[in-house]
Amino acid sequence: MAKPILKTDELVKIFAQDTPLEVHALRGINLEINKGEIVAIMGPSGCGKTTLLNMIGGLDKPTSGCVWINDQEITGYTDHEITEFRKQNLSFIFQFFNLFDVLTAVENVTLPLLLMGEPNKEAEEKAKVILREVGLSSRLYNRPNEMSGGHRQRVAIARSLITNPKIILADEPTGDLSSVISRDIMKLFRRLNEDLGQTFVLVTHSELIGSLCDRIIKMHDGLIIS
Ligand SMILES: Nc1ncnc2c1ncn2[C@@H]1O[C@H](COP(=O)(O)OP(=O)(O)OP(=O)(O)O)[C@@H](O)[C@H]1O
Ligand SMILES: [Mg+2]
């Protein structure tokens, strides 16, 4: 039996609790994801997908319930502990990728490695390799504002993969991309998954992406329905 790398127990998130604006975004999510799985989270807009991803990644705290990653309960961590934990285990690909406009694609992708203390030259070589893999060999030295949305998205994907994180959490990673490029990105995810055993949790509206994952978790109104 594969071992869960990620687990949630009765995860609840209520926004604006005890106010007229109260929203029950998550109503008790029980989830197990095994090491090396590629999982899609799907469901209608507003059903709680992003909220769930944020809880799993420790970007926000649940109202009640727990999250375990690698048998560590992260819900009880302090902000400092969670930041350290994230650096070593997780990587995010956001719906709105935060690239630095003054930096080139290579520099944006190199940044996480520099922050981890990797020498500039090695970091740059690795960045170029991964940018080529996401199909951006002709955009290595362009800045984000000189690129299309799809290109920027791929820079963000390259940046999130460069540190070889154990778990990659992605919110609509291929949202703006054509189905051809989406397939290429999924192929890259699959290859990393096979080579390095990385686990992927992808929030997506795309049936195509869903069909290329190992498993689809369907959400509705704050609950997992299948
Ligand atoms: N910070 C917040 N404050 C108050 N309500 C919020 C907050 N974030 C999300 N919500 C609400 O929680 C519910 C779940 O939102 P969430 O963003 O998780 O949905 P989603 O499934 O990611 O939707 P989409 O597919 O449109 O991205 C929605 O009703 C949303 O309005
Ligand atoms: Mg969302």
Side-chain angles (χ1 to χ4, degrees):
M1 263 303 279
K3 203 167 147 350
I5 192 169
L6 195 162
K7 213 173 110 178
T8 71
D9 183 33
E10 286 301 319
L11 205 61
V12 169
K13 180 66 178 181
I14 305 172
F15 289 109
Q17 194 165 20
D18 299 326
T19 77
L21 300 175
E22 187 169 291
V23 177
H24 293 247
L26 301 177
R27 301 165 182 269
I29 300 276
N30 297 300
L31 183 70
E32 277 193 11
I33 293 175
N34 291 326
K35 184 175 180 312
E37 264 195 299
I38 301 184
V39 172
I41 298 180
M42 301 186 72
S45 186
C47 71
K49 303 180 298 295
T50 297
T51 307
L52 176 60
L53 211 63
N54 288 344
M55 301 293 140
I56 291 173
L59 292 182
D60 196 2
K61 291 208 185 247
T63 308
S64 63
C66 328
V67 177
W68 284 273
I69 293 177
N70 272 334
D71 290 326
Q72 302 191 54
E73 196 199 321
I74 65 163
T75 9
Y77 280 9
T78 63
D79 288 350
H80 176 70
E81 285 168 335
I82 192 74
T83 305
E84 283 307 305
F85 182 81
R86 261 205 309 267
K87 260 193 247 162
Q88 287 161 27
N89 293 279
L90 298 173
S91 186
F92 277 91
I93 305 171
F94 290 103
Q95 218 161 0
F96 304 102
F97 19 89
N98 313 314
L99 298 174
F100 290 101
D101 279 328
V102 293
L103 302 181
T104 64
V106 168
E107 287 166 342
N108 265 293
V109 175
T110 306
L111 205 56
L113 290 179
L114 297 183
L115 293 175
M116 291 171 89
E118 180 131 355
N120 202 358
K121 196 126 191 87
E122 279 89 336
E124 219 179 284
E125 281 315 308
K126 283 189 190 168
K128 285 184 204 161
V129 169
I130 195 132
L131 280 164
R132 287 192 188 108
E133 288 193 89
V134 296
L136 287 181
S137 35
S138 65
R139 291 287 182 283
L140 297 180
Y141 301 104
N142 287 96
R143 294 187 168 75
N145 58 9
E146 300 161 349
M147 291 186 219
S148 69
H151 286 149
R152 271 180 264 170
Q153 194 152 11
R154 283 184 270 168
V155 176
I157 289 172
R159 184 184 54 182
S160 73
L161 295 174
I162 193 144
T163 53
N164 286 335
K166 297 189 186 78
I167 305 179
I168 292 115
L169 303 173
D171 206 343
E172 296 281 356
T174 60
D176 291 334
L177 305 180
S178 72
S179 57
V180 172
I181 296 167
S182 296
R183 261 182 214 279
D184 283 349
I185 300 283
M186 285 304 290
K187 263 192 218 147
L188 173 66
F189 287 176
R190 183 61 73 183
R191 194 171 57 64
L192 290 167
N193 164 265
E194 279 165 4
D195 291 355
L196 306 167
Q198 287 171 317
T199 305
F200 290 82
V201 183
L202 314 173
V203 166
T204 183
H205 285 282
S206 154
E207 295 292 335
L208 168 69
I209 299 295
S211 72
L212 295 171
C213 292
D214 297 323
R215 179 156 67 103
I216 297 176
I217 294 171
K218 280 228 162 86
M219 289 182 68
H220 187 81
D221 203 11
L223 286 170
I224 291 175
I225 52 167
S226 73

